[in-house]
Amino acid sequence: MTYCVAVRVDQGLVLLSDTRTNAGMDNIARFRKMFTYEVPGDRAIALMCSGNLSITQEVKTCLSRQIKISHDTPDTETILNCKTMHRVAQIVGEAMQEMQHRYRDTIEMQGAGADASILIAGQRKGGKPRLYLVYSAGNFIEATADTPFFQIGEHKYGKPILDRIIKPETTIDDAVKAVCVSMDSTLRSNLSVGMPLDLAVIDTEAFKFRVRRRIEPDDEEFAMISQGWSAALRRGFEALPNVLD
Amino acid sequence: MTYCVAVRVDQGLVLLSDTRTNAGMDNIARFRKMFTYEVPGDRAIALMCSGNLSITQEVKTCLSRQIKISHDTPDTETILNCKTMHRVAQIVGEAMQEMQHRYRDTIEMQGAGADASILIAGQRKGGKPRLYLVYSAGNFIEATADTPFFQIGEHKYGKPILDRIIKPETTIDDAVKAVCVSMDSTLRSNLSVGMPLDLAVIDTEAFKFRVRRRIEPDDEEFAMISQGWSAALRRGFEALPNVLD
């Protein structure tokens, strides 16, 4: 499986993904699920993928091919030159539709699943920071002030802390802590989600990445979050009143 | 959906269930999912059900019918007179098999799911406290010191806190707090799980229930757990170090 989470707060966009993929319990591998695209001063965009790996890799290849072609024929529309983040989501959705059309029937004939989903977070100059969730059908939804975060993959373990913490006015620092805690809970409870992690941060109106960081299993700052959270939970739990008296 | 959790610690057995059932998002109802059976001084047994409601109700009816018949023909084996908790799990499993055999094909022809599962916790005089999970196929597993709790239904939201807290040496009071926190996280994040709740506690070597309590939405002690946990999470979160410096 996979766990990816993206948050859109007033101060910017925060993304965190794991790297574990599995075809059955006995076939575990490591694949990057976060991909970043940047034209400094113009736009910064990050994609995170879950679901059928062959589908999401093909979507990514399709986006890269468009970018490569546009070097010779600048009229070619790509996620790096299109006019809006909304159009970026459409372009990713169109690539998703194409790959589903090409492979879904044969994948399902083999008894496997072709479902996939992609989170897109970014801002281009002249627009607002946007966060989209693209489904297998190529359709998509956008995060709003009411629901300022999206999760894909194994989302349930790490949802309670996000429900409690994330609001539009949450700071970037707190959003980073919250996605780390959310990931930590998921890592502890589900073997199909695994280290290392990929973290990205895009500040509002920066049009570039402030952070693109791989978090390895021995990362000291992530370990402090993980251990600090364990200790805080234990202290908080011990301070709760007894239900039975 | 449903969320039921049962814990077996050295001091005894703790069970907590919600009461929400739904057939689609627009057809929500309230059904008790916990059923208790007691022969004071001899045995105390609690069942909790999830999955297809018609199947689990029929399993329960089957167990009740056996008990009723045994009043006239004491040789009839029931969960109240059988020799071991292991045999209780077998009897429940046999009832499950019978109902699956009777209804599964026709339920699935209608496009609905016939899966169901039942948690059984109890102790009979001369035996140890036992906790079993009975699957749709009638087979079952028993909780051990390595895995001293079972969950059925919407189990993921509330699993992280149990993974951290529950060990065989956890006290009954802490086990009750832990299942309440686990349920609280699930209630907050998933609409298909809802109040009121049913709580039961069986102390080791008591052979009767210490607690059989319905927790209504205005229950003051549950509210203190819920609010206390929210406050503790917030304090703990604020005390975490920043990841980005």
Side-chain angles (χ1 to χ4, degrees), chain B residues 90-105:
Chain B
Q90 280 185 332
I91 290 171
V92 173
E94 287 160 9
M96 176 75 88
Q97 282 180 319
E98 184 184 336
M99 299 314 155
Q100 292 287 346
H101 183 71
R102 194 179 296 172
Y103 295 111
R104 190 175 192 94
D105 287 352

PDB file of all heavy atoms in Angstrom, chain B residues 90-105:
ATOM      1  N   GLN B  90     -16.711 -22.470  19.272  1.00  0.00           N
ATOM      2  CA  GLN B  90     -17.134 -23.445  18.254  1.00  0.00           C
ATOM      3  C   GLN B  90     -18.634 -23.367  18.005  1.00  0.00           C
ATOM      4  O   GLN B  90     -19.102 -23.416  16.864  1.00  0.00           O
ATOM      5  CB  GLN B  90     -16.763 -24.864  18.692  1.00  0.00           C
ATOM      6  CG  GLN B  90     -15.310 -25.226  18.455  1.00  0.00           C
ATOM      7  CD  GLN B  90     -15.023 -26.694  18.786  1.00  0.00           C
ATOM      8  OE1 GLN B  90     -15.692 -27.290  19.635  1.00  0.00           O
ATOM      9  NE2 GLN B  90     -14.024 -27.248  18.131  1.00  0.00           N
ATOM     10  N   ILE B  91     -19.421 -23.266  19.090  1.00  0.00           N
ATOM     11  CA  ILE B  91     -20.885 -23.218  18.943  1.00  0.00           C
ATOM     12  C   ILE B  91     -21.300 -21.978  18.156  1.00  0.00           C
ATOM     13  O   ILE B  91     -22.149 -22.049  17.259  1.00  0.00           O
ATOM     14  CB  ILE B  91     -21.556 -23.245  20.343  1.00  0.00           C
ATOM     15  CG1 ILE B  91     -21.378 -24.631  20.981  1.00  0.00           C
ATOM     16  CG2 ILE B  91     -23.041 -22.894  20.235  1.00  0.00           C
ATOM     17  CD1 ILE B  91     -21.815 -24.703  22.448  1.00  0.00           C
ATOM     18  N   VAL B  92     -20.674 -20.830  18.477  1.00  0.00           N
ATOM     19  CA  VAL B  92     -20.972 -19.601  17.722  1.00  0.00           C
ATOM     20  C   VAL B  92     -20.544 -19.783  16.266  1.00  0.00           C
ATOM     21  O   VAL B  92     -21.275 -19.413  15.337  1.00  0.00           O
ATOM     22  CB  VAL B  92     -20.269 -18.382  18.357  1.00  0.00           C
ATOM     23  CG1 VAL B  92     -20.444 -17.139  17.488  1.00  0.00           C
ATOM     24  CG2 VAL B  92     -20.803 -18.126  19.764  1.00  0.00           C
ATOM     25  N   GLY B  93     -19.379 -20.387  16.051  1.00  0.00           N
ATOM     26  CA  GLY B  93     -18.890 -20.632  14.691  1.00  0.00           C
ATOM     27  C   GLY B  93     -19.816 -21.547  13.904  1.00  0.00           C
ATOM     28  O   GLY B  93     -20.051 -21.337  12.703  1.00  0.00           O
ATOM     29  N   GLU B  94     -20.360 -22.560  14.598  1.00  0.00           N
ATOM     30  CA  GLU B  94     -21.296 -23.474  13.910  1.00  0.00           C
ATOM     31  C   GLU B  94     -22.575 -22.745  13.512  1.00  0.00           C
ATOM     32  O   GLU B  94     -23.111 -22.959  12.411  1.00  0.00           O
ATOM     33  CB  GLU B  94     -21.627 -24.664  14.830  1.00  0.00           C
ATOM     34  CG  GLU B  94     -20.454 -25.643  14.964  1.00  0.00           C
ATOM     35  CD  GLU B  94     -20.574 -26.539  16.208  1.00  0.00           C
ATOM     36  OE1 GLU B  94     -21.626 -26.525  16.868  1.00  0.00           O
ATOM     37  OE2 GLU B  94     -19.573 -27.243  16.508  1.00  0.00           O
ATOM     38  N   ALA B  95     -23.067 -21.862  14.405  1.00  0.00           N
ATOM     39  CA  ALA B  95     -24.263 -21.077  14.059  1.00  0.00           C
ATOM     40  C   ALA B  95     -23.961 -20.160  12.879  1.00  0.00           C
ATOM     41  O   ALA B  95     -24.783 -19.984  11.967  1.00  0.00           O
ATOM     42  CB  ALA B  95     -24.726 -20.274  15.274  1.00  0.00           C
ATOM     43  N   MET B  96     -22.763 -19.552  12.889  1.00  0.00           N
ATOM     44  CA  MET B  96     -22.351 -18.690  11.778  1.00  0.00           C
ATOM     45  C   MET B  96     -22.330 -19.481  10.467  1.00  0.00           C
ATOM     46  O   MET B  96     -22.850 -19.025   9.433  1.00  0.00           O
ATOM     47  CB  MET B  96     -20.978 -18.091  12.060  1.00  0.00           C
ATOM     48  CG  MET B  96     -20.409 -17.257  10.918  1.00  0.00           C
ATOM     49  SD  MET B  96     -21.200 -15.660  10.764  1.00  0.00           S
ATOM     50  CE  MET B  96     -20.183 -14.706  11.903  1.00  0.00           C
ATOM     51  N   GLN B  97     -21.730 -20.672  10.500  1.00  0.00           N
ATOM     52  CA  GLN B  97     -21.672 -21.506   9.289  1.00  0.00           C
ATOM     53  C   GLN B  97     -23.067 -21.818   8.764  1.00  0.00           C
ATOM     54  O   GLN B  97     -23.331 -21.771   7.568  1.00  0.00           O
ATOM     55  CB  GLN B  97     -20.944 -22.820   9.599  1.00  0.00           C
ATOM     56  CG  GLN B  97     -19.434 -22.686   9.663  1.00  0.00           C
ATOM     57  CD  GLN B  97     -18.757 -24.009   9.973  1.00  0.00           C
ATOM     58  OE1 GLN B  97     -19.238 -24.778  10.809  1.00  0.00           O
ATOM     59  NE2 GLN B  97     -17.632 -24.271   9.325  1.00  0.00           N
ATOM     60  N   GLU B  98     -23.974 -22.138   9.693  1.00  0.00           N
ATOM     61  CA  GLU B  98     -25.346 -22.501   9.284  1.00  0.00           C
ATOM     62  C   GLU B  98     -26.020 -21.321   8.588  1.00  0.00           C
ATOM     63  O   GLU B  98     -26.655 -21.487   7.541  1.00  0.00           O
ATOM     64  CB  GLU B  98     -26.130 -22.918  10.539  1.00  0.00           C
ATOM     65  CG  GLU B  98     -27.536 -23.416  10.222  1.00  0.00           C
ATOM     66  CD  GLU B  98     -28.330 -23.729  11.495  1.00  0.00           C
ATOM     67  OE1 GLU B  98     -27.685 -24.010  12.546  1.00  0.00           O
ATOM     68  OE2 GLU B  98     -29.567 -23.669  11.430  1.00  0.00           O
ATOM     69  N   MET B  99     -25.866 -20.116   9.157  1.00  0.00           N
ATOM     70  CA  MET B  99     -26.534 -18.945   8.571  1.00  0.00           C
ATOM     71  C   MET B  99     -25.898 -18.549   7.239  1.00  0.00           C
ATOM     72  O   MET B  99     -26.591 -18.151   6.309  1.00  0.00           O
ATOM     73  CB  MET B  99     -26.502 -17.766   9.552  1.00  0.00           C
ATOM     74  CG  MET B  99     -27.211 -18.048  10.851  1.00  0.00           C
ATOM     75  SD  MET B  99     -28.836 -18.842  10.608  1.00  0.00           S
ATOM     76  CE  MET B  99     -29.013 -19.686  12.196  1.00  0.00           C
ATOM     77  N   GLN B 100     -24.590 -18.664   7.164  1.00  0.00           N
ATOM     78  CA  GLN B 100     -23.916 -18.367   5.893  1.00  0.00           C
ATOM     79  C   GLN B 100     -24.385 -19.349   4.817  1.00  0.00           C
ATOM     80  O   GLN B 100     -24.634 -18.967   3.674  1.00  0.00           O
ATOM     81  CB  GLN B 100     -22.394 -18.452   6.053  1.00  0.00           C
ATOM     82  CG  GLN B 100     -21.803 -17.352   6.936  1.00  0.00           C
ATOM     83  CD  GLN B 100     -21.780 -15.990   6.282  1.00  0.00           C
ATOM     84  OE1 GLN B 100     -21.971 -15.866   5.067  1.00  0.00           O
ATOM     85  NE2 GLN B 100     -21.569 -14.949   7.075  1.00  0.00           N
ATOM     86  N   HIS B 101     -24.486 -20.623   5.203  1.00  0.00           N
ATOM     87  CA  HIS B 101     -24.929 -21.659   4.269  1.00  0.00           C
ATOM     88  C   HIS B 101     -26.351 -21.366   3.785  1.00  0.00           C
ATOM     89  O   HIS B 101     -26.679 -21.535   2.614  1.00  0.00           O
ATOM     90  CB  HIS B 101     -24.873 -23.021   4.968  1.00  0.00           C
ATOM     91  CG  HIS B 101     -25.247 -24.158   4.085  1.00  0.00           C
ATOM     92  ND1 HIS B 101     -24.447 -24.593   3.052  1.00  0.00           N
ATOM     93  CD2 HIS B 101     -26.353 -24.941   4.072  1.00  0.00           C
ATOM     94  CE1 HIS B 101     -25.042 -25.595   2.442  1.00  0.00           C
ATOM     95  NE2 HIS B 101     -26.198 -25.839   3.035  1.00  0.00           N
ATOM     96  N   ARG B 102     -27.196 -20.858   4.704  1.00  0.00           N
ATOM     97  CA  ARG B 102     -28.607 -20.645   4.382  1.00  0.00           C
ATOM     98  C   ARG B 102     -28.828 -19.406   3.524  1.00  0.00           C
ATOM     99  O   ARG B 102     -29.699 -19.383   2.659  1.00  0.00           O
ATOM    100  CB  ARG B 102     -29.388 -20.511   5.697  1.00  0.00           C
ATOM    101  CG  ARG B 102     -30.890 -20.633   5.523  1.00  0.00           C
ATOM    102  CD  ARG B 102     -31.604 -20.523   6.865  1.00  0.00           C
ATOM    103  NE  ARG B 102     -31.276 -21.618   7.776  1.00  0.00           N
ATOM    104  CZ  ARG B 102     -31.657 -21.652   9.061  1.00  0.00           C
ATOM    105  NH1 ARG B 102     -32.346 -20.637   9.572  1.00  0.00           N
ATOM    106  NH2 ARG B 102     -31.323 -22.663   9.839  1.00  0.00           N
ATOM    107  N   TYR B 103     -28.059 -18.342   3.759  1.00  0.00           N
ATOM    108  CA  TYR B 103     -28.396 -17.054   3.147  1.00  0.00           C
ATOM    109  C   TYR B 103     -27.356 -16.477   2.198  1.00  0.00           C
ATOM    110  O   TYR B 103     -27.658 -15.574   1.421  1.00  0.00           O
ATOM    111  CB  TYR B 103     -28.673 -16.007   4.238  1.00  0.00           C
ATOM    112  CG  TYR B 103     -29.891 -16.323   5.071  1.00  0.00           C
ATOM    113  CD1 TYR B 103     -29.755 -16.680   6.402  1.00  0.00           C
ATOM    114  CD2 TYR B 103     -31.158 -16.262   4.512  1.00  0.00           C
ATOM    115  CE1 TYR B 103     -30.864 -16.971   7.174  1.00  0.00           C
ATOM    116  CE2 TYR B 103     -32.274 -16.551   5.276  1.00  0.00           C
ATOM    117  CZ  TYR B 103     -32.131 -16.915   6.609  1.00  0.00           C
ATOM    118  OH  TYR B 103     -33.223 -17.205   7.360  1.00  0.00           O
ATOM    119  N   ARG B 104     -26.093 -16.933   2.272  1.00  0.00           N
ATOM    120  CA  ARG B 104     -25.030 -16.208   1.576  1.00  0.00           C
ATOM    121  C   ARG B 104     -25.280 -16.078   0.070  1.00  0.00           C
ATOM    122  O   ARG B 104     -25.168 -14.986  -0.492  1.00  0.00           O
ATOM    123  CB  ARG B 104     -23.667 -16.877   1.807  1.00  0.00           C
ATOM    124  CG  ARG B 104     -22.510 -16.016   1.304  1.00  0.00           C
ATOM    125  CD  ARG B 104     -21.150 -16.590   1.631  1.00  0.00           C
ATOM    126  NE  ARG B 104     -20.124 -15.606   1.377  1.00  0.00           N
ATOM    127  CZ  ARG B 104     -19.622 -14.779   2.280  1.00  0.00           C
ATOM    128  NH1 ARG B 104     -20.018 -14.838   3.530  1.00  0.00           N
ATOM    129  NH2 ARG B 104     -18.713 -13.882   1.955  1.00  0.00           N
ATOM    130  N   ASP B 105     -25.635 -17.177  -0.565  1.00  0.00           N
ATOM    131  CA  ASP B 105     -25.822 -17.139  -2.016  1.00  0.00           C
ATOM    132  C   ASP B 105     -26.887 -16.128  -2.420  1.00  0.00           C
ATOM    133  O   ASP B 105     -26.691 -15.339  -3.350  1.00  0.00           O
ATOM    134  CB  ASP B 105     -26.201 -18.528  -2.544  1.00  0.00           C
ATOM    135  CG  ASP B 105     -25.016 -19.479  -2.521  1.00  0.00           C
ATOM    136  OD1 ASP B 105     -23.896 -19.006  -2.235  1.00  0.00           O
ATOM    137  OD2 ASP B 105     -25.220 -20.675  -2.770  1.00  0.00           O
TER     138      ASP B 105
END
